[in-house]
Structures are given as C-alpha cells and as structure tokens.
Amino acid sequence: MKFTLATLLLAPLALASAVPRERKMTYAGYKAYSISTHHNPAAVKAKIAKFAAIPFNLDNDEHLDVAIPPEEIAAFEQLGFETKVLHEDLGADIAEEGNFAPYESVGAQAIPSLTWFNSYHAYNDHRTFFNDLQASFASQSEIFTIGKSYEGRDIYGIHIWGSGGKGSKPAIYFHGTVHAREWISAMVVEYITYNLLTQYATDTAIKAIRDKYDFYILPFVNPDGFVFSQTTTRLWRKNRQPRSGSTCIGTDINRNWPYKWELTGGASTDKCSETYKGLAAGDTPENKALVAFTQTLKNNKGIKLYIDWHSYGQYILLPYGYNCAARASNNAAQTSLAQGLAARIRQSYGTSFTYGPSCSTLYQTTGSAPDYLTDVGGATYAWTIELRPTSNSGSGFVLPATQILPASIEQWEGMKYLLAAV
C-alpha cells in the first residue's frame, strides 16, 4: 500500500471530523513526539500508519510531529525512532491551557487591560474585548463584518485609520486563526491591534505608520472551527462545513482560495484530510466573504501588505506556495524585508525565524491566501508568518499561556520595523 499524507491521516481524522458536539475529546494520556525523518518522511509515515496517531505536522521533510494515544505509546517507542517529546501528557497541557481568565467588559469607559494577554480566552470574550478596545478609539476605528461563517457567525474585523481619514490610504491587511487550533495567532493579532491603537497618540513612529496606511485586521476568519476547538476537539483545523456523501466535516479555508486551486500536490481531495480543498475553488462561505472583501480593498486604495498569521514553526513565508520554482517579481525586495523582520524579531528574546518562498522553504500549498493576494489581490507583499514554537521542539499548537506575551511582543517589534520599511 502506498502511504500518502491523505491515507496516513484518514483514520484518525475521519474519527475527529465526525465527533459530535456533545463529546469533548480530552486527549488524556496522549504523548506527542517530533520524529526525526533524516529526510525520508515516507519511511516514517509507513511505519506509523498502523497507529491511531493525531498529526500535528506531517509535511516537513526533516521531522514529523504526532500525538500517540496512551495504549499505543509502548509499541510506538519500540520502533526506535529518534524523537523529541513535545507533550508528556497532551491532555494535561490542554486542560491547563484551557483555564481561561474571565473578561469583564469595560465598555468605552476605559482601555482594556494588558492582562488580557496573560491567558487564552473564550470566543465570546474575544468579541467583547475587540468591541471594548475599538470603543475607546471610536473616532479612529470601526468594527466591520465581511460576511457569515457556515454556522452563521460574523466574520468580523477592525478598521483603523490615521490623520488622512477613513479609507484614504493603502491597506495593511491581517488575518488570524484561519486554522482553528492555532490559538496564538488570534492573541498576536489582537496585541498588534492593541498597540496600533494605544500608541498612536504618544509614539511618533506609530503615528507615522498609522497616517500612511489604513489597517484592516480580522482576528478570526474561521470562527466556527475556533469555537469547535474550544468546546469539543482542541486540535481541530478546518471550518465546520459538511459535504454530501461523507461523514467527515470541514474544508481547509487556506486551500480553498480561487487561485491555483486546481493544481495537484498542495492540497487534498479527500474530505477527511486536514488539507481538504473543497469541491470547487472558493466554495466555502468563509472564503467567498474573504475574496469579496479582498477585492473591495484592491479596488479602493490597493493592498500594500497582507499577512496571514499561523502557528507553528517560526517561519516568514513569501510567495509562492503553488510552485517551488516560482518567485514573485519583487522577490529580492521581499527577501530583504523578511531578513530585516527576522533580525528585529530576534532582538526581543533571541527567537529565530526562517524566511524564504513558501513552497521551497516549507512545503507546497495550492489555493492559499498569499498566492491569491499576490497575483489576484494585487498586494505588494503577501506573506504567511508561522509563530512559536519551532517545529521540532516546544509544544506545537498547544503553546502555554505564559508564552502569549513574549510571542506577541516579538511580533510587534518586528511589525514596527516592517511597517516603517514597506
């Protein structure tokens, strides 16, 4: 039997995709490993295909990251792989991560406290926090929605402007949490939003950036998946859209953009796969809304910079994902900016980020947001940033709450450099 990514993921993900809402998966006793492949991932995949492994990252040439159920740990370890442990007890780490600090609305009377970034939070609290933050700067910002998710939730964002007035400047356009389990991405996007608003009146560098661009920031472009990851299956990735003829739920919104969607090798046609691309390009309600809004920005003042925030791996990924030989026409300028961004990020805590074209640096993707933004949306720069931790150490998607602020601070410092340089 030929083991492909799709066949390896089929059994555990079919189960996870069909989990009913009332059953919460605890991951109790699961142990997560990063397996060194020695550049032969196919051999590793073949050996672990018999296990009910939950994949973290199975696209990397150097290491594969998986969680193994407790009853299979002994047999897995007998295979003798070279491994690093990501979680001794994944369930215990998820339970600790899920101790959300309650949020009390301050309305327009006060700016929300930075203590928000000491904890992860329930989805409804995120919405309240964003509304409170905007209300404190009502003359410089507005909350907007671009459409509805499959389950009817608003896909909301904040528009921030400077002295030129609303909608007068080219767009800086940020997305967070397209993949539901990547909780840190929402927190980082919110931290950047917080500082753009609160430092405008006191920091001349931030004022110059705000006066040069309009900011459009969407912290949750996959709200249904995020809620499901909080209530039922922590490692859920896709949206929550069912497909006829299958019990598996969900499409990868970041493989559904209507550009190079039809190419093979960068997404899956298997409805149970983590990277299921959909039945047709742009056929998810979330993507339809995102495409329409992107075109609105393009047709207004244009898009200067787009960033899609993800975790994990510590990468700054430039166009393109669909072809490992393809390069953007301004690739030299993009590479120089990415190098500068990585250097600025490193100054805060010594965190190293790898940078380069997405396909050749990490892996192939088709129907992805940065490729669409580059060649269809007309963005001067369109990147993916994969946040903490690295791919073969740390904690994978379940990043401890103590790392929220460091992860956010280093990105904010990097953004101050990048936004001044573009």
Side-chain angles (χ1 to χ4, degrees), residues 339-351:
Q339 182 181 34
L341 174 58
R344 185 61 62 88
I345 291 170
R346 190 163 52 246
Q347 288 179 9
S348 295
Y349 301 98
T351 312

Side-chain angles (χ1 to χ4, degrees), residues 319-327 357-365 371:
Y320 291 98
Y322 74 88
N323 184 324
C324 290
R327 297 292 184 268
S358 180
C359 183
S360 58
T361 302
L362 191 55
Y363 48 71
Q364 184 185 13
T365 58
D371 287 2

Side-chain angles (χ1 to χ4, degrees), residues 94-252:
I94 287 174
E96 181 178 353
E97 176 200 46
N99 289 324
F100 302 151
Y103 176 71
E104 262 188 60
S105 176
V106 297
Q109 288 71 46
I111 298 170
S113 169
L114 276 169
T115 59
W116 170 263
F117 299 97
N118 293 337
S119 167
Y120 294 103
H121 298 276
Y123 174 73
N124 288 338
D125 282 352
H126 279 280
R127 185 72 187 262
T128 303
F129 169 84
F130 231 60
N131 287 340
D132 286 354
L133 183 60
Q134 185 276 328
S136 299
F137 301 93
S139 65
Q140 307 167 23
S141 63
E142 66 180 1
I143 300 292
F144 65 90
T145 60
I146 65 168
K148 298 283 188 180
S149 66
Y150 175 78
E151 293 180 340
R153 293 180 177 87
D154 286 338
I155 303 173
Y156 70 89
I158 189 168
H159 176 194
I160 302 170
W161 56 85
S163 60
K166 174 182 172 182
S168 63
K169 300 298 171 63
I172 304 293
Y173 183 23
F174 293 160
H175 283 176
T177 330
V178 63
H179 292 148
R181 60 194 177 190
E182 298 168 12
W183 291 6
I184 186 61
S185 67
M187 303 300 295
V188 166
V189 165
E190 288 170 343
Y191 188 83
I192 292 168
T193 303
Y194 188 98
N195 283 284
L196 283 170
L197 287 168
T198 60
Q199 294 187 26
Y200 179 71
T202 58
D203 189 318
T204 56
I206 302 309
K207 185 179 189 305
I209 290 166
R210 282 265 309 272
D211 290 347
K212 188 176 180 182
Y213 297 110
D214 276 54
F215 288 80
Y216 302 86
I217 302 172
L218 288 76
F220 296 97
V221 300
N222 180 12
D224 299 347
F226 180 74
V227 169
F228 193 76
S229 76
Q230 290 198 322
T231 61
T232 307
T233 303
R234 173 61 185 88
L235 296 179
W236 188 261
R237 170 182 166 104
K238 301 182 286 182
N239 78 349
R240 293 294 301 161
Q241 180 179 2
R243 298 288 183 170
S244 61
S246 176
T247 59
C248 291
I249 301 295
T251 298
D252 185 345

Side-chain angles (χ1 to χ4, degrees), residues 201-379:
T202 58
D203 189 318
T204 56
I206 302 309
K207 185 179 189 305
I209 290 166
R210 282 265 309 272
D211 290 347
K212 188 176 180 182
Y213 297 110
D214 276 54
F215 288 80
Y216 302 86
I217 302 172
L218 288 76
F220 296 97
V221 300
N222 180 12
D224 299 347
F226 180 74
V227 169
F228 193 76
S229 76
Q230 290 198 322
T231 61
T232 307
T233 303
R234 173 61 185 88
L235 296 179
W236 188 261
R237 170 182 166 104
K238 301 182 286 182
N239 78 349
R240 293 294 301 161
Q241 180 179 2
R243 298 288 183 170
S244 61
S246 176
T247 59
C248 291
I249 301 295
T251 298
D252 185 345
I253 300 169
N254 201 39
R255 301 295 187 276
N256 190 240
W257 286 78
Y259 183 69
K260 305 299 183 182
W261 177 91
E262 71 284 356
L263 299 182
T264 60
S268 177
T269 57
D270 178 357
K271 296 181 178 71
C272 297
S273 170
E274 293 272 34
T275 58
Y276 175 57
K277 65 195 293 185
L279 292 173
D283 70 346
T284 61
E286 294 87 358
N287 192 264
K288 289 176 182 176
L290 293 167
V291 165
F293 183 67
T294 299
Q295 289 301 312
T296 297
L297 295 183
K298 175 186 177 181
N299 295 334
N300 184 16
K301 298 295 180 178
I303 301 168
K304 186 67 174 181
L305 170 68
Y306 169 82
I307 297 178
D308 194 10
W309 303 85
H310 288 257
S311 73
Y312 57 96
Q314 296 175 197
Y315 291 97
I316 302 165
L317 301 174
L318 318 180
Y320 291 98
Y322 74 88
N323 184 324
C324 290
R327 297 292 184 268
S329 60
N330 61 349
N331 180 65
Q334 298 218 40
T335 301
S336 178
L337 285 169
Q339 182 181 34
L341 174 58
R344 185 61 62 88
I345 291 170
R346 190 163 52 246
Q347 288 179 9
S348 295
Y349 301 98
T351 312
S352 294
F353 275 69
T354 301
Y355 58 89
S358 180
C359 183
S360 58
T361 302
L362 191 55
Y363 48 71
Q364 184 185 13
T365 58
T366 51
S368 67
D371 287 2
Y372 180 92
L373 264 290
T374 298
D375 283 0
V376 184

